[in-house]
Amino acid sequence: MGSISRRMKYDFKAARQRREQLVVLYRAGRRLDPDNSEWGWDLVAQIEEIDREIEEAHAKRAAGQGDSLEKQSENVIIPIIPAWGTWSKGAGESADD
């Protein structure tokens, strides 16, 4: 499944496709054996897990902890200020000289 990590973004499309595949398998199995109530519990558990992952990824994205936060931090500009001296206003020379 798709998982959430700080460096990788969650693949919603792949998760939804996998969920749809599991739903199709579950429905086909239920049509073949509608009287067996215990059939397909593992498929249902996998579908519910994907639903939880998608919900968690949406919540993290909305809270700014997912993909959008990483995109924001890529655009940070950090000025480089030399630490060896300061310039005087009129002379254009270093104050340390």
Side-chain angles (χ1 to χ4, degrees), residues 44-77:
V44 172
Q46 289 178 32
I47 292 167
E48 289 173 352
E49 177 64 26
I50 292 172
D51 289 342
R52 278 191 295 274
E53 285 180 1
I54 291 172
E55 190 174 310
E56 181 182 332
H58 278 298
K60 285 193 175 198
R61 177 183 276 181
Q65 296 174 356
D67 307 333
S68 61
L69 178 65
E70 292 163 18
K71 290 177 184 173
Q72 290 173 5
S73 64
E74 291 174 0
N75 296 328
V76 173
I77 299 172

Side-chain angles (χ1 to χ4, degrees), residues 4 14 17 19 33 35-36 47-48 52 56 62-64 68 70 72 80 84 88 91 94 96:
I4 301 171
Q17 287 174 343
R19 183 190 186 285
D33 192 9
D35 297 330
N36 187 354
I47 292 167
E48 289 173 352
R52 278 191 295 274
E56 181 182 332
S68 61
E70 292 163 18
Q72 290 173 5
I80 300 172
W84 54 83
S88 62
S94 174
D96 293 341

